[in-house]
Amino acid sequence: MTSAPSPKASLNGYAPVVVAAAAVAFAFLVGWAVGPGSPPIDFEKADPAVYFQATGPDGIETAEQYRSRSRAIALFAIVSEIGLLAFLALYRGPPMRRLLDRASRHPLRGAASIGALLAVALALAALPAALLSFDLGRDYGLITQGLGGWAGDRLLSLAVAVPLSAVAALAAFAAWRRFRRRFWIVASAAAAGFAVIWLWLWPVAVSPLFNDFEPLPPGPERSEVLALADRTGVDVGEVYSVDASRRSVALNAYVHGIGSSKRVVIYDNALDTLPPGSLSVLIAHELAHVESADVFRGLGFAILVIPLGALAMQLGAAAIARRNGDPRDGPGIVFPLALGLAVMSLLLSVPGNRLSREIEIRADYSALQTTRDSASMVALQRQIAASNLTDPEPPGLWQSLFGTHPETVERIGLAEAFSGDGSR
């Protein structure tokens, strides 16, 4: 039996890379390396009591209750996923030994089978939390979809995940056997390439499996999009409406894709319910993402931190294989690699979320500059908070770790400051 490469030896050889990658990640975390920076005006958080009623179906207390329970479910989901992966990576009882022995008879096929098995196992582990989240959303009126439609979406997601997981496991195992201590370099390059392809492919190949997308038809909304795009000099690509209302009452819009797949997508809920001024601010916000190439900014962040995650995965997987007594070139390495991927994705999401919040607040500021309509920005944030049951001021630690958007009171505070800024 061949032992796994020494984690200590690998770490000594790659120490400069570890330090450099960690420095880049830290730079993102504090917000001064790459990113648009904060808006160039001073602003403070708004008082939630001024803009939101305390009780009632749209009140702060209702949103806080819903989000508090949602946060508990989210933590349960994280623990379930990491716990399952840790068990599969570390458990080497007779059933697991028999599984690995069978997989080792045809290693490449065995690695692909383990990848497919992982996708199914993770889907089953996530099911309790997903059901709890679905029931909670139904109880609070946020989710409109029935159980049958929800279950169909889960099965469709699994159908997409199984072959992708099998191919990823096969590729990771082949790279592990072929490149050994240089695995992290090859894995980083492959992951970066996959991120670019997936970012282009997702809007045209995957999203349409779950929703219907229709080009925004001629009318006031499309005219406003084109007018705002012309005012800001943005090549908007295509603008679509998506049938989000069949699942939820939530309001949203987003920019996705690159190159020929670039598009702005607006929820049909937003098109149907938002007044013209608020809709203009929402569209201007999304156009600001296009103008600032924020999709590429996020992609650049991922490409910069992927090597740190890949190296940590390699060191951790080697250490676990050594502890388990697994063959270095056996397909069982897929399990610790999957654990490392999940852990590093969770850890690196923290600086990524910080960057996302900076990008979003800057897009708010750009939208205010474009529309010159602070009142509509405030109205938009209030309506989104009410429809989406958003906690206007979530717990600070949770926001720092998991918040992808600024707090609602922060976004309203920016609009207030912009309204009173003498440079307008």
Side-chain angles (χ1 to χ4, degrees), residues 249-328:
V249 300
L251 305 177
N252 201 2
Y254 60 90
V255 175
H256 204 18
I258 56 176
S260 60
S261 72
K262 180 178 67 175
R263 60 195 57 198
V264 175
V265 179
I266 307 173
Y267 281 20
D268 58 349
N269 297 336
L271 292 169
D272 293 340
T273 63
L274 288 178
S278 295
L279 184 60
S280 294
V281 171
L282 178 65
I283 293 169
H285 173 99
E286 298 307 324
L287 293 180
H289 285 313
V290 178
E291 182 183 19
S292 299
D294 289 333
V295 170
F296 288 99
R297 194 183 304 281
L299 181 62
F301 168 79
I303 290 173
L304 283 171
V305 299
I306 279 172
L308 176 62
L311 181 55
M313 283 172 57
Q314 174 176 314
L315 297 175
I320 291 174
R322 186 183 183 89
R323 172 223 178 250
N324 293 339
D326 290 344
R328 180 177 63 185

Side-chain angles (χ1 to χ4, degrees), residues 23-400:
V24 171
F26 178 76
F28 275 106
L29 179 62
V30 298
W32 54 258
V34 177
S38 298
I41 59 173
D42 294 328
F43 64 97
E44 297 179 354
K45 295 180 182 180
D47 181 357
V50 174
Y51 293 96
F52 301 95
Q53 60 186 8
T55 58
D58 297 332
I60 293 177
E61 290 182 3
T62 301
E64 288 177 343
Q65 290 172 1
Y66 172 76
R67 290 299 168 181
S68 176
R69 295 172 186 177
S70 294
R71 287 190 288 269
I73 294 172
L75 288 175
F76 173 53
I78 292 172
V79 171
S80 298
E81 177 184 346
I82 300 296
L84 173 64
L85 290 173
F87 172 77
L88 293 174
L90 298 172
Y91 173 68
R92 288 299 178 268
M96 179 61 77
R97 287 292 182 192
R98 287 193 292 271
L99 172 65
L100 296 181
D101 286 343
R102 285 196 295 269
S104 298
R105 294 169 192 166
H106 303 281
L108 295 177
R109 189 191 311 166
S113 299
I114 288 174
L117 175 66
L118 269 173
V120 175
L122 287 171
L124 292 174
L127 191 58
L131 272 171
L132 288 172
S133 182
F134 173 76
D135 286 340
L136 182 67
R138 292 278 296 179
D139 289 343
Y140 278 82
L142 182 63
I143 293 177
T144 57
Q145 189 176 34
L147 182 60
W150 175 85
D153 283 345
R154 302 289 299 184
L155 289 174
L156 183 56
S157 296
L158 182 60
V160 173
V162 167
L164 286 176
S165 182
V167 170
L170 173 61
F173 175 61
W176 181 270
R177 291 208 308 176
R178 172 66 178 82
F179 297 100
R180 302 186 185 279
R181 291 186 182 179
R182 291 187 295 276
F183 164 82
W184 70 277
I185 301 174
V186 176
S188 297
F194 176 79
V196 173
I197 294 171
W198 194 242
L199 188 58
W200 175 81
L201 194 62
W202 183 273
V204 296
V206 181
S207 290
L209 297 176
F210 297 89
N211 286 97
D212 292 331
F213 294 82
E214 297 291 341
L216 206 59
E221 292 85 2
R222 185 175 183 83
S223 296
E224 180 66 5
V225 171
L226 296 178
L228 289 169
D230 182 66
R231 191 185 309 172
T232 55
V234 171
D235 177 13
V236 70
E238 187 55 86
V239 182
Y240 287 87
S241 169
V242 60
D243 61 337
S245 58
R246 72 185 186 87
R247 290 192 181 90
S248 171
V249 300
L251 305 177
N252 201 2
Y254 60 90
V255 175
H256 204 18
I258 56 176
S260 60
S261 72
K262 180 178 67 175
R263 60 195 57 198
V264 175
V265 179
I266 307 173
Y267 281 20
D268 58 349
N269 297 336
L271 292 169
D272 293 340
T273 63
L274 288 178
S278 295
L279 184 60
S280 294
V281 171
L282 178 65
I283 293 169
H285 173 99
E286 298 307 324
L287 293 180
H289 285 313
V290 178
E291 182 183 19
S292 299
D294 289 333
V295 170
F296 288 99
R297 194 183 304 281
L299 181 62
F301 168 79
I303 290 173
L304 283 171
V305 299
I306 279 172
L308 176 62
L311 181 55
M313 283 172 57
Q314 174 176 314
L315 297 175
I320 291 174
R322 186 183 183 89
R323 172 223 178 250
N324 293 339
D326 290 344
R328 180 177 63 185
D329 292 338
I333 198 66
V334 171
F335 288 122
L337 285 175
L339 173 61
L341 175 62
V343 171
M344 292 309 301
S345 296
L346 180 63
L347 294 177
L348 293 175
S349 71
V350 176
N353 291 339
R354 170 61 188 269
L355 177 61
S356 176
R357 294 193 297 271
E358 291 283 352
I359 286 173
E360 293 296 335
I361 199 68
R362 184 70 183 194
D364 278 353
Y365 181 73
S366 294
L368 287 167
Q369 287 183 305
T370 300
T371 63
R372 301 288 175 178
D373 192 351
S374 300
S376 289
M377 172 65 83
V378 172
L380 173 65
Q381 298 305 326
R382 294 177 68 184
Q383 189 163 353
I384 287 178
S387 298
N388 299 13
L389 288 178
T390 303
D391 187 347
E393 195 171 17
L397 179 60
W398 181 271
Q399 177 70 2
S400 296

Side-chain angles (χ1 to χ4, degrees), residues 405-422:
H405 286 64
E407 299 173 18
T408 300
V409 292
E410 186 178 4
R411 304 177 84 167
I412 292 176
L414 172 64
E416 287 180 334
F418 186 87
S419 177
D421 184 28

